[in-house]
Amino acid sequence: MRLSIIIFLVFNCLVFSQQVPDTLYTPKLEKGKYTGVVYVDEAHNNFHTINNRFLPFAKVLRKAGYTVKSFAHKFTNHVLDTVTTLVISNALSENARGPFVVPTKSAFTNKEVITIQEWVHNGGALFLIADHMPFAGASVQLGKAFGFTFYDSFLLDENRRGIIDFTKENKMLGNHELVDGNEHFKKIKKIRTFTGQAFKIPSKALAILKTTEKLIVHLPDTMWRFNEKTKRFPAKELSQGAVMKYGKGRIAIFGEAAMFTAQLAGPNQFKVGMNSEEASENYKLLLNIMNWLSGK
């Protein structure tokens, strides 16, 4: 690899391992427009929680009118009875610690996967976020239950950079009311993501963020370690974000988490997420997704 690529990968590894929430991030939005209770999973060794890296995520939703609560239970029919909307972001298996190597253990038991599948089918709204390795691998089975194929991988461009822009101009921003806008949804021109994974979607799903052959899926044996032997393939006709109706319920699946929060990373407090100048519309997509999940 060229030295510049090596430097970038080392920088990425250091920066993204030192993320702290940007507590000053506050987008301009209508207060109290939305209603409902949103539960965020914190029972599966989640990398993002509402009192830490997903604090800005919760802050945006609360300012918009939602009630956001932690969900600290394993998934059973009993505990999900009163839940309408559930967010699962970057779950890991119990006691999982780096350095992360393949194969990645599932964050959920088989029984939990079946429970979540049935809960959505019966009317639940699930927002599942599974980032790059090892988070993608930890949610493979849950994604598979709904027909999605996750790759325990990293989505990078040809120069192995993971900052990706989705626009109508590059034909990577899908045709859907969640980005096209209407009386219920804000119109969006550009979304930026920060590495993550790309996945294969079932025929009934609609891609919001579409990847192309210019992007490459890398499948390293160890997190953030790449070399000439690393398996890879073009991300043609894959997605980094999609939505689907499932039975009486709805599901939104995205392969990158930083895009829905605001973080300061590394010693230079590099802005990663909604606070980035080039990701100024990302918060709109977050609100559109939550609104769509509620059935609006």
Side-chain angles (χ1 to χ4, degrees):
M1 290 189 296
R2 296 194 303 270
L3 179 61
S4 60
I5 295 176
I6 295 174
I7 292 173
F8 169 77
L9 293 174
V10 172
F11 170 77
N12 238 8
C13 183
L14 291 174
V15 164
F16 287 95
S17 65
Q18 300 174 17
Q19 302 164 359
V20 296
D22 183 353
T23 58
L24 299 180
Y25 173 74
T26 305
K28 295 180 180 179
L29 52 89
E30 299 176 57
K31 294 183 179 180
K33 181 179 179 180
Y34 305 94
T35 59
V37 181
V38 177
Y39 287 91
V40 179
D41 176 38
E42 296 187 2
H44 295 87
N45 199 14
N46 305 77
F47 188 73
H48 290 88
T49 62
I50 61 175
N51 291 317
N52 193 355
R53 298 179 183 91
F54 250 25
L55 179 64
F57 172 96
K59 185 177 180 180
V60 168
L61 294 187
R62 285 167 175 159
K63 185 174 181 180
Y66 290 103
T67 298
V68 183
K69 298 182 178 181
S70 298
F71 191 82
H73 307 281
K74 299 297 183 181
F75 301 136
T76 66
N77 292 327
H78 175 70
V79 299
L80 288 174
D81 277 346
T82 59
V83 176
T84 301
T85 304
L86 176 66
V87 179
I88 303 174
S89 179
N90 283 353
L92 286 171
S93 62
E94 189 174 1
N95 298 320
R97 297 290 185 274
F100 295 102
V101 298
V102 294
T104 301
K105 293 182 179 180
S106 176
F108 316 100
T109 66
N110 292 336
K111 188 173 183 179
E112 284 185 300
V113 170
I114 294 172
T115 297
I116 287 291
Q117 182 184 22
E118 292 177 346
W119 172 77
V120 175
H121 190 273
N122 292 331
L126 176 64
F127 188 5
L128 173 61
I129 304 170
D131 216 311
H132 58 65
M133 176 193 186
F135 307 110
S139 289
V140 162
Q141 295 304 318
L142 184 55
K144 184 179 180 180
F146 296 97
F148 293 79
T149 301
F150 290 174
Y151 301 99
D152 202 13
S153 62
F154 290 78
L155 179 66
L156 305 172
D157 67 13
E158 57 189 3
N159 295 314
R160 294 190 183 175
R161 291 189 294 264
I163 308 301
I164 302 169
D165 291 325
F166 296 81
T167 67
K168 290 291 187 180
E169 287 72 23
N170 64 21
K171 298 182 180 180
M172 292 169 61
L173 196 58
N175 296 316
H176 193 279
E177 58 187 357
L178 286 182
V179 292
D180 295 336
N182 56 30
E183 66 271 25
H184 298 297
F185 304 108
K186 301 175 184 295
K187 186 174 182 178
I188 296 170
K189 296 181 179 179
K190 175 184 175 181
I191 293 296
R192 170 166 284 196
T193 66
F194 304 82
T195 314
Q197 65 140 332
F199 48 83
K200 185 177 181 180
I201 69 175
S203 59
K204 293 182 179 180
L206 296 172
I208 304 301
L209 306 180
K210 300 188 290 185
T211 61
T212 71
E213 65 277 1
K214 294 182 179 180
L215 300 174
I216 308 298
V217 175
H218 292 70
L219 297 127
D221 294 328
T222 304
M223 182 180 177
W224 288 118
R225 293 186 184 177
F226 304 86
N227 56 49
E228 64 279 359
K229 296 182 180 180
T230 300
K231 296 179 181 179
R232 67 201 68 184
F233 62 89
K236 184 179 181 180
E237 297 181 352
L238 298 181
S239 174
Q240 200 169 35
V243 296
M244 184 178 72
K245 295 181 180 179
Y246 189 81
K248 297 179 181 179
R250 298 187 175 202
I251 182 170
I253 294 185
F254 281 75
E256 207 277 303
M259 65 180 291
F260 293 119
T261 188
Q263 300 173 132
L264 300 173
N268 295 323
Q269 299 288 275
F270 179 71
K271 291 184 178 180
V272 180
M274 298 186 293
N275 53 343
S276 170
E277 184 177 348
E278 295 297 322
S280 61
E281 293 188 283
N282 282 29
Y283 82 92
K284 296 180 182 179
L285 180 58
L286 171 58
L287 293 177
N288 285 355
I289 290 170
M290 301 310 300
N291 198 23
W292 182 84
L293 286 171
S294 70
K296 298 290 191 303

